[in-house]
């Protein structure tokens, strides 16, 4: 019955590396720390972890199950499991989301290449934070240089995608993910042992619940979706490449833990470092691009750590971009029966349009706004605060109510060969708890909850 003609990842390790490669990215190392800094340290962490447990885990399991049952891309899998309905539109929304995310993601990934270059040429040494901040804004507001880096990032991503699921995605993530772990652990140790570093840890683990409000809750939920690559069919696509013998619940547990671990480790690298040199951790997206060079510039052997850190950031970003591009490429090649090469090239060119818009948001187009946001902020906010939660909501409803129940159960229990005593709880979560939770956070943010007396 099971069609094994679809390409499969060749081992359990390969599945975890690819999925963790997708999950662990700029979201963990670049965005999570600055959100923690802005939104009250451990208080934000508390809600983040809560969302990961009640929404992240069950949604990731559902996505894997949909993909492996459907044996197809983010759109095709819905079609296979529910040929008459319109649920495949979730996949279409996912593909659009992938474009928007790649648009701003490629720009920040490009920044990491510039910073690897600056680190290698020893440009941080001896500079203070004001100079480094000025350098960052001068670079990021340029109309050409950051765009060229983004182009290079997308070309590298496309090259790996062109090599295919096994030789591209699997081989590259199996090599890059262990590298990433070694680097981040070494950096965590270095950072905590800096003079004054412990104060940063105290800030990190001391909750300030007064900073929590409805928009912070939405940010924490959006961050959980973004960080785990959920709500847009990424894990559906990867799930379709997972072998029928793989224990999905184990894979999901491992990926979720690894992802949260890297996010916390990133904060453990950045906060002690920021406190050690007296930088306010509440600043926004520039945090890692200003704080860390500043730390490195004052440190013996700092150049080495700087190179290492920005390589870490780049590797994390690249494995995530690969997964985003695979969502689109798998969709177009399969649904329109087209060849991988022309599709990958066209997708790359199309993404670059969004990249240019995002990059210019920091300079020439910084006054061009929609709903009061630059293109960069718009792509960032609309994906993680609207499309992904909405996608997640619809995916839980699909898995819980629409997809044939025995098909869902077959996937999570590997055709009944695994004991899944928790299946009932999982079902309650995807049928009621997660969708209602998402809805509540969204409505709360829109202010609707006040009208209905919540
Ligand atoms: N999870 C990645 C990060 O934390 C970003 C990412 C990769 C992503 N693939 C995705 C986000 C799919 C949403 C959907 O950086």
């Amino acid at each position: 019955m099971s069609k094994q003609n679809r390409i499969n990842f060749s081992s359990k390790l390969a599945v975890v590396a690819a999925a963790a490669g997708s999950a662990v990215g700029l979201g963990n190392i670049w965005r999570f720390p600055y959100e923690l800094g802005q939104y009250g340290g451990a208080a934000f962490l508390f809600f983040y972890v809560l969302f990961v447990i009640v929404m992240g885990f069950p949604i990731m399991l559902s996505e894997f199950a949909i993909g492996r049952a459907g044996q197809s891309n983010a759109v095709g899998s819905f079609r296979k499991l529910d040929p008459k309905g319109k649920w495949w539109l979730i996949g279409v929304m996912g593909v659009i989301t992938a474009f928007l995310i790649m648009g701003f993601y490629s720009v920040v990934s490009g920044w990491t290449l510039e910073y690897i270059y600056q680190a290698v040429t020893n440009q941080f040494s001896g500079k203070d934070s004001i100079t480094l901040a000025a350098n960052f804004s001068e670079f990021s507001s340029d109309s050409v240089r950051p765009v060229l880096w983004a182009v290079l990032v997308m070309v590298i991503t496309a090259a790996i995608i062109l090599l295919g699921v096994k030789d591209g995605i699997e081989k590259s993530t199996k090599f890059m993910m262990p590298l990433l772990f070694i680097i981040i652990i070494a950096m965590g140790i270095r950072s905590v042992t800096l003079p004054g570093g412990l104060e940063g840890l105290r800030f990190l683990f001391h909750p300030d619940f007064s900073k929590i409000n409805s928009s912070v809750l939405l940010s924490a939920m959006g961050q959980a979706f973004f960080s785990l690559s959920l709500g847009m069919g990424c894990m559906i696509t990867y799930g379709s490449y997972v072998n029928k013998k793989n224990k999905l619940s184990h894979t999901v547990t491992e990926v979720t833990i690894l992802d949260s671990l890297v996010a916390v480790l990133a904060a453990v690298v950045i906060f002690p470092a920021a406190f050690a040199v007296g930088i306010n951790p509440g600043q926004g997206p520039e945090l890692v691009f200003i704080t860390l060079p500043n730390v490195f510039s004052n440190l013996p052997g700092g150049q080495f750590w700087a190179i290492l850190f920005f390589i870490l950031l780049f590797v994390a970003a690249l494995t995530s971009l690969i997964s985003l591009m695979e969502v689109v490429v798998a969709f177009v090649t399969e649904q329109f029966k087209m060849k991988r090469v022309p599709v990958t090239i066209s997708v790359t060119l199309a993404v670059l349009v969004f990249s240019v818009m995002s990059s210019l948001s920091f300079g020439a187009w910084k006054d061009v706004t929609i709903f009061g946001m630059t293109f960069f902020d718009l792509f960032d906010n609309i994906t993680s605060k609207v499309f992904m939660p909405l996608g997640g909501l619809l995916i839980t409803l699909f898995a819980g109510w629409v997809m044939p129940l025995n098909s869902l159960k077959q996937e999570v229990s590997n055709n009944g060969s695994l004991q899944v005593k928790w299946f009932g709880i999982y079902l309650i979560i995807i049928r009621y708890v997660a969708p209602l939770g998402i809805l509540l956070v969204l409505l709360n943010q829109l202010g609707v909850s006040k009208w209905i007396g919540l």
Side-chain angles (χ1 to χ4, degrees), residues 53-54 57-59 61-62 65-66 393 395-412 420-436:
I53 295 169
V54 297
F57 182 92
I59 295 178
L61 184 58
S62 307
I66 293 170
L393 172 74
I395 287 168
T396 53
L397 293 178
F398 181 83
W401 301 99
V402 182
M403 164 177 185
L405 193 60
N406 62 350
S407 163
L408 180 68
K409 187 148 189 189
Q410 265 179 17
E411 288 308 326
V412 299
V420 282
K421 291 197 194 106
W422 43 267
F423 189 74
I425 302 174
Y426 163 63
L427 208 56
I428 291 174
I429 293 183
I430 58 170
R431 283 190 168 172
Y432 307 101
V433 183
L436 283 175

Side-chain angles (χ1 to χ4, degrees), residues 47 130 273 276 397 424:
F47 284 105
I130 298 178
L397 293 178

